[in-house]
Amino acid sequence: MTAAEKALLRSLWLYPADVGSCGGCAPALLELLAPRLDIERLGLAVVDSPRHADALLVTGVCTRQSAPRLQELCRAVPAPRVVLAVGACAVSQGVFAGGYNAPRTVEEVVRAADPEAIVVHVPGCPPRPEAILLGISRAMEALAAARPGPRAGRAAP
Ligand code: SF4
């Protein structure tokens, strides 16, 4: 494996999408960018467009109103698509489960847009920043296995 291929394996660009959160997950996300964890030193970055992203990082409960927007965002990410469902609301609708305005989980909404999407769950209310980092590393492993080219999980020579 070349140095460039190794560098690409350690790089993941994230687009954050709040589909209906209380705001409680946001501080955990911000902590990823703060000096203690500083994910940019690991080759991770938050980007301004889903078209530049490797993965969506979704927080909040997916409502009837936000579901079509989430599907648009999902389709804008280049395939193979990775979605991190971060927080109890995104994973299982949390305390909003069974509510009339949140009929589907983030995974169900994403799979309706792309059945092949890789969905990684990060539970917690809010999840700890370290748990989000673990979820990101699992997403990177799944993406490396799914993506052709340098990120495909090839053995080092
Ligand atoms: S998981 Fe908890 S902190 Fe995050 S949006 Fe839901 S209720 Fe708020």
Side-chain angles (χ1 to χ4, degrees):
M1 185 181 295
T2 67
E5 287 172 339
K6 283 181 185 171
L8 281 173
L9 282 172
R10 294 171 49 210
S11 163
L12 190 83
W13 286 10
L14 300 157
Y15 183 82
D18 182 339
V19 295
S21 84
C22 70
C25 284
L29 299 183
L30 289 173
E31 210 173 316
L32 294 176
L33 300 168
R36 188 172 71 87
L37 294 175
D38 189 10
I39 60 172
E40 290 193 353
R41 76 195 151 88
L42 304 174
L44 309 172
V46 175
V47 294
D48 291 335
S49 165
R51 298 190 191 285
H52 290 167
D54 298 301
L56 292 180
L57 195 156
V58 182
T59 54
V61 65
C62 197
T63 64
R64 290 183 194 277
Q65 290 78 14
S66 63
R69 302 289 87 77
L70 176 58
Q71 290 179 329
E72 282 176 26
L73 286 174
C74 189
R75 291 190 194 101
V77 174
R81 300 184 175 91
V82 178
V83 176
L84 283 139
V86 174
C89 290
V91 170
S92 63
Q93 298 167 306
V95 295
F96 303 100
Y100 79 95
N101 200 30
R104 291 184 289 172
T105 64
V106 164
E107 179 166 3
E108 288 168 339
V109 170
V110 164
R111 293 219 182 278
D114 178 6
E116 306 295 320
I118 298 162
V119 180
V120 176
H121 290 163
V122 181
C125 179
R128 290 186 58 78
E130 293 84 355
I132 301 173
L133 201 49
L134 180 62
I136 291 172
S137 78
R138 289 191 175 143
M140 290 173 77
E141 285 173 9
L143 192 56
R147 212 175 229 175
R151 293 190 193 216
R154 295 185 302 209

